Amino acid sequence: MKIVILGGAGLMGAGIVRDLLSERAIIDIRCVRICDSSLERMNKLKAELNDPRIDLRQLDVTNPAEIAAALDGMQLCINSVPTLAGHQMAIFEAALAARVSYIDLGGLGTYTVKQLAEHARFAAAGVTAVIGVGADPGMSNVICRAVANELDTIDSINLYWAAELVGAENPVLCPPYSVSTVLAEYAHPSTQFLDGKHVQCAPQQGREFMTLPEPWGHCEFMYSPHSEQLTVPLAEGIKEKGIREFTWKLHLPHREHEAWVGLVKAGFNDFEEPLLVDGVAIKPVDFLSALINRNIAKNAEHIPAQDSHEIHLAIGRGRKNGKACTVRCEVIVKPNPMYASYVDACTSMNASIAAQLILSTPQRAGVFAPESYFDIPSYFRELERRHFSIRLVVEN
């Protein structure tokens, strides 16, 4: 199998490469083509992994001809270019033109509806696209399907993601994923599914408190713009069960949460209008990203070792066998030596899982969200092979 990864030397892309080329692979991978704007990052990754299956291509993602050349001869394209860079649809369309299967890490809902609207074109061309296949969205969609399958009728499914850090206080702000994505989660309105219809909600609304096992403890959650709520309640086999509510909520560690709230208050929620500083125009988010990266590099010796813990939790309520029923499906990700070289093992490993499951089974042409494409037992088996803990509880 031949796989191309656009943005392949970035934080998520590099992790995807690591997992694809690991001993966990369930398909015969002959080539992983890493395409990125940074030749320095690509060379560093190739030297570290020292795998002859790696093929490097420097890529200007704004150049359609270079994208087409990157996809040439490949069987699946993984788009790990940050969504808010604005190239999602161009890469998506390039995969269709090249007749190459396509996955991405999601689009905060920004492009999800546009991509799903192209289902008929992809189906007619015999091309498979599964959108939003990281951790959230991606794995989160799959656990929602697992919950829905246990219920005869569905009143609600509520989806939560909580992160917690254990260790000494970090004096440096280290984003859990791309700066633009975190800012968008705090600064942009979100669409939730309430009372049987999609409703736009203001940023940082939907506050809810929940007590989880340690190390999370008492957590405050908030609405966040994601794609799960745009697809799951409308999915075949879920919509028909009468679902009236679907929400997605986020919890980051308290100190980090307050930092992002403050940055939005300071004006970093403006993604588009450049700021003119001494005659030089720069977008606030680009400035912030550069500043944070420089601060991390300058203060690397002051960043303490911290253990990251994640819980991905879907709670479904409805009826089963004529009785009121609550179903909980959770995936817990605790520190493990396997994750040491990953920035966000859960996201990148899930993208690798999705790519391999698509290539290892007969493909279905069209554009799909994860809850409508993957076989749950097969997916959960791959999660467990990566030491993610899964628990499904049905309470009547």
Side-chain angles (χ1 to χ4, degrees), residues 141-153:
N141 302 64
V142 177
I143 67 174
C144 287
R145 172 64 74 174
V147 164
N149 286 353
E150 295 292 334
L151 293 166
D152 298 328
T153 63

Side-chain angles (χ1 to χ4, degrees), residues 159-163 176-177 181-182 185-186 205-206 208 219-226 248-252 257:
L159 186 59
Y160 305 87
W161 178 71
Y177 28 86
T181 299
V182 185
E185 290 186 316
Y186 277 79
Q205 298 301 301
E208 180 182 353
C219 295
E220 178 183 356
F221 289 87
M222 68 177 193
Y223 289 150
S224 176
H226 262 239
W248 193 96
K249 294 185 179 183
L250 166 74
H251 166 81
L252 291 184
H257 167 76

Side-chain angles (χ1 to χ4, degrees), residues 16-83:
I16 298 169
V17 173
R18 293 178 196 280
D19 194 77
L20 286 173
L21 296 178
S22 73
E23 72 285 353
R24 295 178 292 277
I26 58 173
I27 58 175
D28 181 17
I29 297 177
R30 303 291 181 87
C31 173
V32 174
R33 179 175 291 168
I34 302 172
C35 301
D36 200 278
S37 61
S38 173
L39 188 58
E40 179 183 357
R41 287 199 307 260
M42 288 194 295
N43 283 329
K44 182 180 178 181
L45 181 61
K46 184 174 182 178
E48 179 185 345
L49 297 179
N50 190 29
D51 193 304
R53 293 173 291 176
I54 292 176
D55 172 34
L56 303 184
R57 298 280 184 97
Q58 194 164 19
L59 174 69
D60 175 3
V61 75
T62 67
N63 187 325
E66 290 193 18
I67 295 176
L71 270 56
D72 185 46
M74 298 291 104
Q75 290 163 287
L76 184 136
C77 169
I78 302 176
N79 176 10
S80 64
V81 175
T83 301

Side-chain angles (χ1 to χ4, degrees), residues 173-179 182 260 292-293 296 343:
L173 179 61
C174 296
Y177 28 86
S178 78
V179 171
V182 185
W260 294 108
I292 287 176
N293 289 337
I296 291 171
V343 172

Side-chain angles (χ1 to χ4, degrees), residues 107-131:
L108 295 169
T110 304
Y111 298 107
T112 302
V113 174
K114 292 181 180 179
Q115 290 175 301
L116 288 172
E118 302 302 327
H119 174 79
R121 290 177 60 219
F122 273 72
V127 178
T128 300
V130 186
I131 57 176

Side-chain angles (χ1 to χ4, degrees), residues 119-333:
H119 174 79
R121 290 177 60 219
F122 273 72
V127 178
T128 300
V130 186
I131 57 176
V133 296
D136 292 73
M139 180 181 72
S140 56
N141 302 64
V142 177
I143 67 174
C144 287
R145 172 64 74 174
V147 164
N149 286 353
E150 295 292 334
L151 293 166
D152 298 328
T153 63
I154 303 172
D155 297 324
S156 62
I157 298 177
N158 303 106
L159 186 59
Y160 305 87
W161 178 71
E164 196 56 62
L165 299 170
V166 176
E169 178 70 24
N170 192 347
V172 178
L173 179 61
C174 296
Y177 28 86
S178 78
V179 171
S180 62
T181 299
V182 185
L183 270 181
E185 290 186 316
Y186 277 79
H188 288 182
S190 71
T191 300
Q192 307 293 330
F193 190 73
L194 304 172
D195 196 22
K197 60 182 181 296
H198 283 110
V199 177
Q200 189 174 82
C201 303
Q204 301 175 38
Q205 298 301 301
R207 292 179 63 197
E208 180 182 353
F209 294 90
M210 185 186 302
T211 300
L212 297 172
E214 292 299 329
W216 295 278
H218 193 58
C219 295
E220 178 183 356
F221 289 87
M222 68 177 193
Y223 289 150
S224 176
H226 262 239
S227 60
E228 293 96 324
Q229 55 266 39
L230 296 175
T231 66
V232 174
L234 303 182
E236 184 178 354
I238 296 178
K239 180 180 180 180
E240 294 83 353
K241 293 184 179 184
I243 186 168
R244 301 293 296 169
E245 177 179 302
F246 185 98
T247 61
W248 193 96
K249 294 185 179 183
L250 166 74
H251 166 81
L252 291 184
H254 179 71
R255 289 290 181 90
E256 281 70 17
H257 167 76
E258 292 300 326
W260 294 108
V261 169
L263 288 167
V264 170
K265 289 181 178 180
F268 285 99
N269 57 321
D270 190 337
F271 278 68
E272 297 303 323
E273 185 177 353
L275 183 67
L276 197 63
V277 181
D278 294 333
V280 177
I282 184 170
K283 291 183 178 180
V285 66
D286 293 337
F287 168 80
L288 180 64
S289 182
L291 178 64
I292 287 176
N293 289 337
R294 187 184 73 172
N295 195 42
I296 291 171
K298 287 180 66 175
N299 295 283
E301 70 275 13
H302 302 303
I303 298 176
Q306 292 181 311
D307 290 333
S308 177
H309 298 250
E310 300 178 32
I311 184 168
H312 307 255
L313 173 63
I315 302 176
R317 296 176 178 87
R319 301 186 73 80
K320 183 172 184 175
N321 298 325
K323 298 180 180 179
C325 182
T326 299
V327 183
R328 298 168 62 98
C329 185
E330 66 182 28
V331 177
I332 292 178
V333 184

